[in-house]
Amino acid sequence: MDLGFTPDEERFRARLRAWLADSVPPGWRSPSFWAGIPEADAFELRREWERLRHRAGFAGISLPREYGGYGGTPGMQAIHDEESARARVPHSVNQIGLTFLVPTVMAVGTDEQKREIIPPLLRNDVIWCQGFSEPGAGSDLAALRTTGVLDGDEFVVTGQKVWTTNAAHGDRIFTLVRTEPGSQRHHGLSMLLVDMRQDGVEARPLRQMSGVSEFGEVFFTDARVKVADCLGGAGNGWATAMLLLSFERGASGLAQYTAFRRQFDEIVAAAPPGRLDDPVLRQRLAQRIVDLECLRYHAMHVLTQVEQGEELGAGSSLTKLQWSQTHQQLWETFDDLLGPEATLARPRPGTDLRAMHREAMWSRSVTIWGGSSQIQRNIVAERVLGLPR
């Protein structure tokens, strides 16, 4: 495991850190900023700022320049994510596309798909969302029933997706569809790239308990998709989806570590007077520090694997399991430390917990989406440790 970065990568860090210091509005550094503005306004602010970042040359760090990227190393990408988290840069409005779709397109997409998909995505001209889960196919994704019937050079898609991130803002969706009649389970699936602005596609927002509508449900009624807009080849949807999920689950955790470590400090700072003197609570806080440092070392291990060209495979489930459990336990400690005050927006003068409330509620979901912790443990047990089913 390599715990350091090359001189070129550290010079990149210095340039990026200086640009972020000049470009991120000071007000954004307040934890309560985003909690205090309407969701639609927040989306547009984030979208315009990311366009500014693209014009500055800090988009698609590890992507080739021919597709609008920076042409950097995986280490530079990790540094970019880490420094962005440190500077309180908000999550990308195109995070689904950047993290999952782009590396999948680079791995299995055609040259035409790379040229068509990646540059507009980096400019945020096209917002992508992901359509995997269905009302009867959540963790058991192979049970999906959305169909795509071949009609000439197009698939006609009918069905429903749910828990679709970015559904309300999405221009296009990459979605898993059953394209071979009579097929079952993992067979006969295809990854289709669907235009959401056409007739026959309806997106309905789902409001979460945090008050935001990050998710939605999507209905397809005879929506049409060109055969050329099938990613990874017709009938290869399951393999393409597993490749895509490996990027989701195996992404470097340095940005997560940086954000979670800052959240830890904010939780401690919000503690009511006298609570930090409780030896049981101090022990829980110490355990959270241990968990966070383990996350950092694992992130460096994964980054080393990526730089050496190794396939993450089933081992990527370890990353998903570790960071999601660490995040959830951190915010359980928030409840323990603040006690009844954890339920109040402003429990004391000068204390604003609105952003913390949103993060705490969000933390309940992270062990479910992207493959539940129970599923991840089964994968690790069977495919990493070699245990029987």
Side-chain angles (χ1 to χ4, degrees):
M1 178 171 62
D2 186 356
L3 295 176
F5 294 94
T6 67
D8 281 347
E9 289 170 342
E10 290 296 350
R11 283 190 285 270
F12 169 79
R13 182 194 299 275
R15 291 196 302 273
L16 175 63
R17 184 177 290 180
W19 183 80
L20 289 172
D22 291 337
S23 303
V24 177
W28 291 13
R29 302 182 188 277
S30 169
S32 61
F33 176 83
W34 297 103
I37 60 176
E39 188 177 354
D41 294 345
F43 182 89
E44 290 304 322
L45 277 176
R46 292 158 57 201
R47 187 172 192 167
E48 288 306 313
W49 188 86
E50 286 183 76
R51 285 174 169 158
L52 174 66
R53 180 171 61 181
H54 176 268
R55 291 194 292 270
F58 289 116
I61 301 302
S62 60
L63 292 173
R65 293 183 182 275
E66 64 181 299
Y67 300 119
Y70 184 86
T73 65
M76 289 178 181
Q77 180 66 60
I79 287 171
H80 169 272
D81 296 344
E82 181 184 19
E83 292 297 327
S84 295
R86 180 174 287 115
R88 292 186 181 273
V89 172
H91 291 301
S92 170
V93 297
N94 235 340
Q95 194 68 45
I96 293 291
L98 289 169
T99 304
F100 314 143
L101 180 61
V102 167
T104 307
V105 171
M106 288 300 300
V108 300
T110 65
D111 289 342
E112 182 179 355
Q113 286 172 336
K114 293 174 185 176
R115 290 191 296 269
E116 177 190 339
I117 292 170
I118 298 176
L121 191 157
L122 294 181
R123 296 192 301 266
N124 276 329
D125 293 341
V126 177
I127 302 297
W128 283 85
C129 54
Q130 173 181 318
F132 278 16
S133 295
E134 298 184 3
S139 294
D140 185 15
L141 184 58
L144 67 86
R145 293 181 294 178
T146 297
T147 60
V149 179
L150 191 61
D151 180 21
D153 63 349
E154 293 181 322
F155 290 106
V156 180
V157 179
T158 301
Q160 179 187 355
K161 299 292 179 176
V162 73
W163 310 126
T164 302
T165 304
N166 254 1
H169 300 288
D171 298 303
R172 300 188 72 184
I173 182 172
F174 54 95
T175 187
L176 207 54
V177 175
R178 193 167 297 282
T179 53
E180 293 183 12
S183 62
Q184 296 182 352
R185 303 297 297 168
H186 309 90
H187 306 289
L189 304 175
S190 300
M191 182 79 74
L192 301 184
L193 311 174
V194 185
D195 178 7
M196 294 187 68
R197 303 305 181 187
Q198 64 173 297
D199 293 336
V201 180
E202 180 186 3
R204 301 176 187 172
L206 294 171
R207 188 161 299 280
Q208 300 157 238
M209 65 179 178
S210 62
V212 300
S213 301
E214 182 178 13
F215 295 118
E217 50 187 347
V218 179
F219 297 86
F220 301 105
T221 306
D222 297 333
R224 306 190 76 87
V225 188
K226 294 180 181 178
V227 172
D229 286 331
C230 177
L231 180 61
N236 295 325
W238 188 258
T240 305
M242 293 305 100
L243 174 65
L244 184 145
L245 288 174
S246 75
F247 294 120
E248 174 185 30
R249 296 169 183 163
S252 170
L254 285 178
Q256 290 154 329
Y257 165 79
T258 303
F260 299 168
R261 188 64 177 82
R262 185 187 68 240
Q263 290 169 12
F264 174 89
D265 293 338
E266 292 168 353
I267 289 170
V268 172
R275 292 290 281 174
L276 295 176
D277 297 331
D278 185 322
V280 174
L281 291 175
R282 291 176 65 85
Q283 182 62 37
R284 290 177 186 170
L285 290 171
Q287 185 59 54
R288 297 293 82 80
I289 288 290
V290 171
D291 295 341
L292 288 167
E293 291 307 307
C294 288
L295 178 62
R296 181 172 71 90
Y297 283 116
H298 180 72
M300 295 303 294
H301 170 66
V302 170
L303 178 58
T304 301
Q305 288 180 296
V306 171
E307 290 179 327
Q308 294 174 351
E310 297 182 24
E311 294 289 337
L312 298 179
S316 62
S317 290
L318 284 167
T319 300
K320 170 59 169 64
L321 183 62
Q322 185 184 24
W323 79 253
S324 61
Q325 293 289 147
T326 297
H327 188 231
Q328 193 170 93
Q329 290 165 359
L330 174 63
W331 286 97
E332 288 174 355
T333 302
F334 165 75
D335 292 333
D336 294 338
L337 186 62
L338 272 73
E341 286 196 3
T343 65
L344 303 176
R346 294 180 174 86
R348 282 165 280 122
T351 303
D352 187 341
L353 302 183
R354 288 177 300 168
M356 288 185 166
H357 287 169
R358 184 173 292 184
E359 194 68 32
M361 287 187 280
W362 168 251
S363 74
R364 304 314 304 170
S365 72
V366 298
T367 54
I368 301 173
W369 58 259
S372 69
S373 290
Q374 292 82 359
I375 297 294
Q376 302 310 318
R377 289 189 181 98
N378 283 344
I379 293 172
V380 171
E382 296 171 17
R383 303 183 191 176
V384 179
L385 301 178
L387 298 177
R389 289 179 61 87

